[in-house]
Amino acid sequence: MRPLKEAISVDVAIVGAGISGAFMAHELSRDHSLAVLDRRPPLTGSTVASTALLQWEIDLPLTALAGKVGMAKAKRAWLRSRSAVDALKRIVAGERIVCGLKDKDTLYLAGDAYGHRALEAEAEAREAIGLESEYIGPEALRDRFGVDRTGAIVSRGSASGDPARLAAALLRRAQENGARVYSRVEVMEAASDPDGVTLLTDAGHAVRAKSVVFCCGYEFPRGVPTPGAEVISTWAMASKPRQRCPAWLRETLVWEASDPYLYFRMGGDGRLIVGGEDEATPDAHADQAKLKRKCETIVKKLHALLPGVEFEVDYSWAGAFGESATGLPSIAPVPDMEHAWAVMGFGGNGITYSVIASQVVSTALRGGVDPDADLYRP
């Protein structure tokens, strides 16, 4: 990490040094000269606040997504998400990254948005396209998990891990390949021309690139439109280490088919990490009084679901993230700006979508076309 002390020229400039920028840098540094720019120290944006449910399950169920985009596209989107989690695991293993990555099942509970009949149909639809999902009724749910709901889907192949350690390791690998990471450098404006893009920074030095990829969450520089973005607020908290929990919870990510939904998992140090209570306002997360109220609500919901678990809050936090009508990310060229891409990982699959974004954009910059690129264009 370094300040920007002079004007530079590179093949690709990546704006944002969080998990999306890290995956992008890791992929592109193999055959491009790179500069990664961030107005904060790396990893201090939304990445460090992530609860790191590395799921292939999309926020919008397969059956519901099919109703919006057709079954053919919905099938491709779900299968691509599944393959992205596998790709993430291969990267971690191949690069020998220590980030607490652990295979997990997921337990998707019937709720007020999708009841047990909808989940039963959803499990059948997933199984029909080769995804590892099993519907279980209320008796099996109580016997296996001690949870009192009308039904659930158990799926295999997801994971959990530490997103900050993962992103830091990916950035280090990119630096070993020659990438340069500049922090506390804010991109104030971006201007393109037929030959590339010029980024004007608060350091007083310009960055010239043949291509630029914006991976900066929802804080885009002037001149970069963000169509279709809806930024909302979310809350989360973690228990003290060595939280007493049912043994199955160490191997399972849990979320519910409700709006807003509750989700939770166990960390490697025995913390129970719980989140939810999303609110459709972009700045509510900054309200400290609301943080306290939201955490109280989340604890009540957790106790209602797992009455035997005593949750003592050690840390709590809030943040902003985006969502779309389909639950799919936006990975697309910037409108009216040549040689520029924008990555916006909507919904609860931000890390999974970061992998997909690195694949889609790198293929395009190498002159190819990713077969699923059309899924992620707004």
Side-chain angles (χ1 to χ4, degrees):
M1 283 33 108
R2 63 182 90 176
L4 183 63
K5 294 184 177 180
E6 60 184 358
I8 60 171
S9 178
V10 292
D11 292 336
V12 183
I14 297 171
V15 182
I19 191 69
S20 294
F23 270 111
M24 195 69 65
H26 173 262
E27 177 61 33
L28 290 175
S29 65
R30 295 186 296 168
D31 50 10
H32 295 80
S33 62
L34 285 187
V36 181
L37 313 170
D38 203 305
R39 70 187 186 92
R40 302 183 183 91
L43 318 180
T44 54
S46 60
T47 296
V48 76
S50 170
T51 49
L53 277 65
L54 309 181
Q55 294 176 241
W56 50 261
E57 292 167 280
I58 296 170
D59 279 355
L60 202 63
L62 173 61
T63 49
L65 183 58
K68 290 181 176 289
V69 302
M71 180 52 80
K73 284 188 174 181
K75 174 181 175 179
R76 287 166 53 207
W78 272 74
L79 291 175
R80 185 59 181 265
S81 184
R82 179 69 176 85
S83 68
V85 172
D86 290 341
L88 185 155
K89 293 175 182 178
R90 288 194 298 271
I91 290 169
V92 169
E95 296 285 6
R96 298 182 180 179
I97 293 173
V98 179
C99 61
L101 188 72
K102 184 177 181 181
D103 287 346
K104 295 286 181 76
D105 292 344
T106 63
L107 181 66
Y108 185 41
L109 301 168
D112 59 24
Y114 300 98
H116 67 95
R117 291 185 182 88
L119 263 59
E120 193 166 8
E122 173 70 9
E124 290 176 2
R126 293 185 194 180
E127 289 171 1
I129 65 171
L131 294 171
E132 304 157 283
S133 296
E134 170 198 5
Y135 175 79
I136 59 173
E139 291 185 7
L141 183 57
R142 283 192 295 271
D143 291 344
R144 290 172 58 177
F145 301 99
V147 173
D148 188 16
R149 284 288 174 93
T150 57
I153 297 175
V154 179
S155 298
R156 291 168 182 83
S158 290
S160 65
D162 184 327
R165 288 162 66 194
L166 172 58
L170 292 169
L171 288 173
R172 284 196 299 271
R173 301 301 189 274
Q175 287 177 293
E176 291 166 5
N177 289 335
R180 291 170 283 173
V181 180
Y182 300 93
S183 68
R184 295 197 180 275
V185 176
E186 183 167 6
V187 176
M188 308 300 293
E189 195 164 353
S192 69
D193 57 60
D195 298 318
V197 182
T198 299
L199 303 176
L200 303 179
T201 73
D202 64 348
H205 305 293
V207 175
R208 179 68 179 172
K210 296 176 183 176
S211 302
V212 62
V213 187
F214 294 99
C215 300
C216 41
Y218 313 101
E219 303 169 318
F220 281 70
R222 193 164 58 248
V224 180
T226 56
E230 183 180 358
V231 181
I232 69 175
S233 296
T234 189
W235 288 264
M237 56 192 183
S239 73
K240 291 185 179 298
R242 297 178 293 281
Q243 169 75 43
R244 294 183 63 183
C245 284
W248 61 265
L249 191 50
R250 298 188 180 277
E251 313 299 327
T252 311
L253 311 175
V254 185
W255 59 312
E256 59 175 357
S258 295
D259 186 16
Y261 63 78
L262 179 76
Y263 59 90
F264 50 93
R265 71 173 181 91
M266 293 295 293
D269 58 356
R271 295 181 190 272
L272 182 58
I273 300 166
V274 191
E277 283 302 293
D278 299 351
E279 191 171 300
T281 51
D283 52 7
H285 63 89
D287 185 337
Q288 288 299 307
K290 182 165 282 191
L291 173 64
K292 184 176 185 295
R293 295 196 301 272
K294 290 286 187 178
C295 287
E296 289 172 351
T297 300
I298 291 170
V299 168
K300 288 178 182 177
K301 287 186 172 183
L302 179 68
H303 283 161
L305 197 63
L306 298 176
V309 173
E310 294 298 326
F311 188 95
E312 186 177 357
V313 179
D314 198 13
Y315 298 103
S316 60
W317 64 93
F321 79 106
E323 62 178 13
S324 67
T326 60
L328 297 177
S330 175
I331 305 166
V334 176
D336 303 319
M337 183 177 288
E338 296 180 89
H339 314 293
W341 285 73
V343 174
M344 302 185 74
F346 295 119
N349 302 70
I351 297 174
T352 305
Y353 289 157
S354 294
V355 177
I356 296 173
S358 70
Q359 296 167 338
V360 170
V361 175
S362 65
T363 297
L365 295 186
R366 290 169 184 142
V369 178
D370 187 286
D372 295 323
D374 63 300
L375 296 174
Y376 310 113
R377 298 201 175 190

